[in-house]
């Protein structure tokens, strides 16, 4: 739909992991509100590596976003001499206990939970039920959810939450030509 709408000069926001749509010369009215998988993966691996973690466990959703993030994190972890074990929670799952137990079997020194939508509640429920006590990070996919609807605040008490890139000044998302075009137009309209 983006190419068709661009011809009509309609502003379009899209939630896509497709870098091809971030092309202002071809789609000057399209603005992607989604982070790309590489933004989440790169910033997480950089943070975990800087904290000295070497054995990472990842639980994410079994969809394109989750698998893309896991694949990228795996490659980046290997480049930093880190190991990463991943488990994937189906979008129709009601329980993610087995996936958390699976990755915890690798004796990780840090856990990353990241899933947007229907896989997030069972992941957080399993995390709190199992009482996992290693450092835990909630990735951008997780923090894009309405966390207060998923679980009480206490569920996130010992978790470091990664902000969605579009909300952080100075990220590749907010420094892109597409974002700047969108932001300028928004300010022009709203003052």
């Amino acid at each position: 739909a983006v190419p068709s709408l661009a011809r009509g000069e309609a502003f379009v926001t899209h939630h896509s992991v497709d870098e091809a749509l971030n092309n202002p010369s071809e789609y000057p009215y399209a603005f992607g509100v989604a982070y790309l998988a590489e933004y989440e993966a790169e910033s997480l691996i950089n943070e975990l590596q800087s904290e000295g973690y070497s054995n990472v466990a990842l639980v994410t959703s079994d969809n394109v976003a989750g698998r893309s993030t896991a694949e990228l994190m795996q490659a980046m972890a290997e480049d930093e001499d880190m190991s990463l074990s991943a488990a994937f929670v189906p979008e129709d799952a009601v329980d993610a206990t087995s996936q958390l137990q699976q990755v915890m079997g690798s004796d990780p020194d840090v856990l990353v939970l990241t899933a947007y939508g229907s896989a997030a509640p069972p992941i957080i429920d399993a995390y709190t039920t199992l009482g996992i006590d290693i450092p835990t990070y909630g990735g951008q996919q997780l923090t894009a959810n309405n966390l207060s609807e998923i679980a009480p605040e206490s569920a996130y008490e010992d978790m470091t939450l990664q902000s969605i890139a579009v909300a952080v000044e100075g990220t590749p998302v907010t420094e892109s030509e597409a974002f700047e075009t969108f932001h300028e137009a928004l300010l022009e309209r709203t003052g």
Side-chain angles (χ1 to χ4, degrees), residues 43-54:
S43 61
L44 278 171
I45 291 298
N46 287 342
E47 171 69 12
L48 300 178
Q49 196 268 340
S50 75
E51 292 293 324
Y53 300 120
S54 61

Side-chain angles (χ1 to χ4, degrees), residues 87-162:
F88 302 93
V89 178
E91 292 180 302
D92 62 352
V94 294
D95 185 14
T97 304
S98 63
Q99 288 89 346
L100 258 77
Q101 288 173 324
Q102 174 189 340
V103 296
M104 293 306 290
S106 67
D107 196 27
D109 48 16
V110 65
L111 173 64
V112 175
L113 307 175
T114 191
Y116 180 76
S118 60
I123 290 172
I124 296 301
D125 186 47
Y127 169 73
T128 57
T129 299
L130 292 173
I132 294 172
D133 63 354
I134 63 171
T136 302
Y137 286 74
Q140 286 184 46
Q141 292 174 57
L142 180 67
T143 60
N145 291 285
N146 185 342
L147 296 178
S148 65
E149 287 185 3
I150 294 173
E153 187 178 322
S154 60
Y156 313 105
E157 197 170 87
D158 296 321
M159 194 181 296
T160 301
L161 299 174
Q162 180 185 35

Side-chain angles (χ1 to χ4, degrees), residues 59-79:
V59 178
T60 188
S61 51
D62 192 3
N63 59 22
V64 172
R67 289 204 173 263
S68 296
T69 300
E71 200 173 283
L72 289 162
M73 284 184 70
Q74 181 72 50
M76 292 174 186
E78 287 175 9
D79 289 346

